[in-house]
Amino acid sequence: MDFVGSHILSVDQFARGDIDRLFAVADALAPFARRERITRVLQGAILSNMFFEPSTRTRVSFGCAFNLLGGDVRETTEVKSSALAKGESLHDTARVLSGYSDVIVMRHPQEGSVAEFATASRVPVINGGDGANEHPSQALLDLYTVRQEIRARGRTMDGLRIAVVGDLKFGRAVHSLLKLLALFEGISVNLVSPPGLEAPSDVVSVLSNAGHEAGVYHDLGDGIHHVDILYVTRTQEERFASPEEADRYRGLFRVNEAIYTEHCEPNTVIMHPLPRDSRAQAQELDEDLNANPNLAIFRQTDNGVVVRMALFAMILDVVDQVHDHARPVTWYTARRTPSGLGTRS
Ligand code: ASP
């Protein structure tokens, strides 16, 4: 695909070569994400960050990524503070906002809403999550992290063994990640969920049609054996008809140090798109794993910035100009090299 000027709405847009090119740009931008150098290549450009659902990481890291390239960010964070609350259509909002910005990131609770918005936008639109459907930038940063962690352990993406655990029915991050993994060779996926929260059949078909192994598990211990990556997700309570219905699933699968040690290999990497639900009744990823060097969740969140910088640089066609606008930082910067990247001895 040609990234320049494109909307990013679904991972279905990407071929493997596109991912390789994006990740090469992300690697080149890493010194800027780590504040070793600054660049002003997007000085004067405006990002409209429109989040009509709760978000911490996606919203802030898209904003930071744009700022780190020198651009400015305008935020709208609730339907009630936008004209959508007065009955304005997505079409009209898109026409208006695209007159004020160079690129738009949008999150919205309805599946397909971001694509609908993009049809009326005059500037590129990036899907920051549309209901239970997709979360393409999360999948890209997840894949970038998988690649980084796997390489650090002397392995390759092809032949990867991964378990995805939790609410696979409503988890949009999982949907996008599974479809991206299908681009590689010989992937084996364990789909581990409580009965009733299995992954949608269209997502699983993408894997099986590409010749990958996809096994369904309802037992946590069985499902997380012999994998390189253990990817845990929370129950997506906001997608259930009622809180009581979500409560039926909360806390059913809890990965903690004891479960990990009993069932996983010593170097199995632990990931989670976050937020993890740390309330007593949930705890799908226990805080007793915090000291485990294979816990990659904060390396994952760090990678969100650099991958989103790469997306902006490619969409706005400034990849080749980044260094012309670069200089060393002038303030104190903490070390931001990935902490704890490595294996357990
Ligand atoms: N932050 C991710 C999302 O927005 C995962 C989650 O919320 O559970 O989909």
Side-chain angles (χ1 to χ4, degrees), residues 224-227 230 255 259-268:
I224 65 177
H225 263 308
H226 304 308
V227 291
L230 171 58
V255 177
I259 299 280
Y260 176 86
T261 308
E262 184 182 347
H263 296 283
C264 294
E265 295 175 1
N267 285 325
T268 297

mmCIF file of all heavy atoms in Angstrom, residues 224-227 230 255 259-268:
data_model
loop_
_atom_site.group_PDB
_atom_site.id
_atom_site.type_symbol
_atom_site.label_atom_id
_atom_site.label_comp_id
_atom_site.label_asym_id
_atom_site.label_seq_id
_atom_site.Cartn_x
_atom_site.Cartn_y
_atom_site.Cartn_z
ATOM 1 N N ILE A 224 -2.076 -22.282 27.555
ATOM 2 C CA ILE A 224 -0.875 -21.423 27.578
ATOM 3 C C ILE A 224 0.436 -22.218 27.605
ATOM 4 O O ILE A 224 1.504 -21.646 27.767
ATOM 5 C CB ILE A 224 -0.918 -20.397 28.742
ATOM 6 C CG1 ILE A 224 -0.883 -21.080 30.114
ATOM 7 C CG2 ILE A 224 -2.161 -19.523 28.617
ATOM 8 C CD1 ILE A 224 -0.852 -20.081 31.285
ATOM 9 N N HIS A 225 0.326 -23.542 27.415
ATOM 10 C CA HIS A 225 1.516 -24.387 27.305
ATOM 11 C C HIS A 225 2.287 -24.118 26.016
ATOM 12 O O HIS A 225 1.670 -23.890 24.981
ATOM 13 C CB HIS A 225 1.078 -25.862 27.228
ATOM 14 C CG HIS A 225 1.145 -26.557 28.545
ATOM 15 N ND1 HIS A 225 2.275 -26.543 29.318
ATOM 16 C CD2 HIS A 225 0.238 -27.311 29.203
ATOM 17 C CE1 HIS A 225 2.043 -27.252 30.409
ATOM 18 N NE2 HIS A 225 0.817 -27.727 30.370
ATOM 19 N N HIS A 226 3.600 -24.218 26.054
ATOM 20 C CA HIS A 226 4.429 -24.228 24.843
ATOM 21 C C HIS A 226 4.173 -23.055 23.912
ATOM 22 O O HIS A 226 3.915 -23.236 22.727
ATOM 23 C CB HIS A 226 4.222 -25.537 24.055
ATOM 24 C CG HIS A 226 4.491 -26.749 24.865
ATOM 25 N ND1 HIS A 226 5.665 -26.923 25.561
ATOM 26 C CD2 HIS A 226 3.723 -27.829 25.116
ATOM 27 C CE1 HIS A 226 5.617 -28.069 26.208
ATOM 28 N NE2 HIS A 226 4.452 -28.642 25.974
ATOM 29 N N VAL A 227 4.178 -21.861 24.458
ATOM 30 C CA VAL A 227 4.038 -20.684 23.586
ATOM 31 C C VAL A 227 5.202 -19.723 23.813
ATOM 32 O O VAL A 227 5.798 -19.688 24.884
ATOM 33 C CB VAL A 227 2.684 -19.953 23.811
ATOM 34 C CG1 VAL A 227 1.517 -20.797 23.313
ATOM 35 C CG2 VAL A 227 2.482 -19.534 25.261
ATOM 36 N N LEU A 230 2.507 -14.927 25.443
ATOM 37 C CA LEU A 230 1.236 -15.067 26.165
ATOM 38 C C LEU A 230 0.600 -13.680 26.173
ATOM 39 O O LEU A 230 1.119 -12.754 26.815
ATOM 40 C CB LEU A 230 1.545 -15.541 27.588
ATOM 41 C CG LEU A 230 0.416 -15.578 28.609
ATOM 42 C CD1 LEU A 230 -0.720 -16.454 28.124
ATOM 43 C CD2 LEU A 230 0.955 -16.106 29.946
ATOM 44 N N VAL A 255 -3.947 -14.860 35.168
ATOM 45 C CA VAL A 255 -2.555 -15.278 34.997
ATOM 46 C C VAL A 255 -1.748 -14.622 36.111
ATOM 47 O O VAL A 255 -1.760 -13.399 36.250
ATOM 48 C CB VAL A 255 -2.012 -14.860 33.616
ATOM 49 C CG1 VAL A 255 -0.545 -15.235 33.495
ATOM 50 C CG2 VAL A 255 -2.837 -15.487 32.496
ATOM 51 N N ILE A 259 0.769 -19.548 38.108
ATOM 52 C CA ILE A 259 0.214 -20.150 36.880
ATOM 53 C C ILE A 259 1.273 -20.098 35.776
ATOM 54 O O ILE A 259 1.474 -21.059 35.026
ATOM 55 C CB ILE A 259 -1.045 -19.369 36.410
ATOM 56 C CG1 ILE A 259 -2.133 -19.421 37.465
ATOM 57 C CG2 ILE A 259 -1.529 -19.836 35.051
ATOM 58 C CD1 ILE A 259 -2.935 -20.674 37.505
ATOM 59 N N TYR A 260 1.947 -18.945 35.690
ATOM 60 C CA TYR A 260 2.972 -18.761 34.662
ATOM 61 C C TYR A 260 4.083 -19.804 34.847
ATOM 62 O O TYR A 260 4.477 -20.482 33.898
ATOM 63 C CB TYR A 260 3.537 -17.335 34.753
ATOM 64 C CG TYR A 260 4.668 -17.051 33.798
ATOM 65 C CD1 TYR A 260 4.424 -16.627 32.492
ATOM 66 C CD2 TYR A 260 6.003 -17.212 34.193
ATOM 67 C CE1 TYR A 260 5.464 -16.368 31.609
ATOM 68 C CE2 TYR A 260 7.045 -16.957 33.315
ATOM 69 C CZ TYR A 260 6.765 -16.541 32.029
ATOM 70 O OH TYR A 260 7.797 -16.299 31.162
ATOM 71 N N THR A 261 4.566 -19.930 36.055
ATOM 72 C CA THR A 261 5.679 -20.857 36.317
ATOM 73 C C THR A 261 5.256 -22.296 36.056
ATOM 74 O O THR A 261 6.022 -23.093 35.513
ATOM 75 C CB THR A 261 6.152 -20.698 37.782
ATOM 76 O OG1 THR A 261 6.398 -19.314 38.011
ATOM 77 C CG2 THR A 261 7.421 -21.485 38.053
ATOM 78 N N GLU A 262 4.019 -22.621 36.376
ATOM 79 C CA GLU A 262 3.564 -24.006 36.187
ATOM 80 C C GLU A 262 3.374 -24.360 34.707
ATOM 81 O O GLU A 262 3.719 -25.453 34.288
ATOM 82 C CB GLU A 262 2.232 -24.204 36.941
ATOM 83 C CG GLU A 262 1.741 -25.654 36.872
ATOM 84 C CD GLU A 262 0.403 -25.862 37.576
ATOM 85 O OE1 GLU A 262 -0.036 -24.960 38.334
ATOM 86 O OE2 GLU A 262 -0.194 -26.929 37.350
ATOM 87 N N HIS A 263 2.864 -23.417 33.932
ATOM 88 C CA HIS A 263 2.448 -23.782 32.572
ATOM 89 C C HIS A 263 3.312 -23.235 31.443
ATOM 90 O O HIS A 263 3.272 -23.777 30.332
ATOM 91 C CB HIS A 263 1.007 -23.325 32.340
ATOM 92 C CG HIS A 263 0.020 -24.005 33.228
ATOM 93 N ND1 HIS A 263 -0.408 -25.288 33.010
ATOM 94 C CD2 HIS A 263 -0.584 -23.575 34.352
ATOM 95 C CE1 HIS A 263 -1.265 -25.628 33.966
ATOM 96 N NE2 HIS A 263 -1.383 -24.603 34.799
ATOM 97 N N CYS A 264 4.034 -22.132 31.679
ATOM 98 C CA CYS A 264 4.741 -21.503 30.557
ATOM 99 C C CYS A 264 6.204 -21.922 30.520
ATOM 100 O O CYS A 264 6.736 -22.445 31.504
ATOM 101 C CB CYS A 264 4.644 -19.987 30.646
ATOM 102 S SG CYS A 264 2.971 -19.400 30.426
ATOM 103 N N GLU A 265 6.836 -21.668 29.384
ATOM 104 C CA GLU A 265 8.270 -21.901 29.274
ATOM 105 C C GLU A 265 8.987 -20.750 29.983
ATOM 106 O O GLU A 265 8.424 -19.664 30.129
ATOM 107 C CB GLU A 265 8.654 -21.995 27.799
ATOM 108 C CG GLU A 265 8.002 -23.215 27.153
ATOM 109 C CD GLU A 265 8.226 -23.316 25.650
ATOM 110 O OE1 GLU A 265 8.904 -22.446 25.064
ATOM 111 O OE2 GLU A 265 7.708 -24.278 25.068
ATOM 112 N N PRO A 266 10.266 -20.966 30.408
ATOM 113 C CA PRO A 266 10.925 -19.937 31.218
ATOM 114 C C PRO A 266 11.034 -18.578 30.524
ATOM 115 O O PRO A 266 11.124 -17.553 31.181
ATOM 116 C CB PRO A 266 12.319 -20.512 31.487
ATOM 117 C CG PRO A 266 12.216 -21.959 31.191
ATOM 118 C CD PRO A 266 11.087 -22.163 30.240
ATOM 119 N N ASN A 267 11.029 -18.553 29.195
ATOM 120 C CA ASN A 267 11.186 -17.281 28.485
ATOM 121 C C ASN A 267 9.928 -16.819 27.763
ATOM 122 O O ASN A 267 10.005 -15.942 26.898
ATOM 123 C CB ASN A 267 12.339 -17.373 27.490
ATOM 124 C CG ASN A 267 13.663 -17.332 28.220
ATOM 125 O OD1 ASN A 267 13.796 -16.646 29.225
ATOM 126 N ND2 ASN A 267 14.625 -18.095 27.734
ATOM 127 N N THR A 268 8.782 -17.401 28.086
ATOM 128 C CA THR A 268 7.544 -16.950 27.450
ATOM 129 C C THR A 268 7.316 -15.469 27.778
ATOM 130 O O THR A 268 7.356 -15.065 28.942
ATOM 131 C CB THR A 268 6.347 -17.788 27.945
ATOM 132 O OG1 THR A 268 6.540 -19.143 27.552
ATOM 133 C CG2 THR A 268 5.035 -17.273 27.365
#
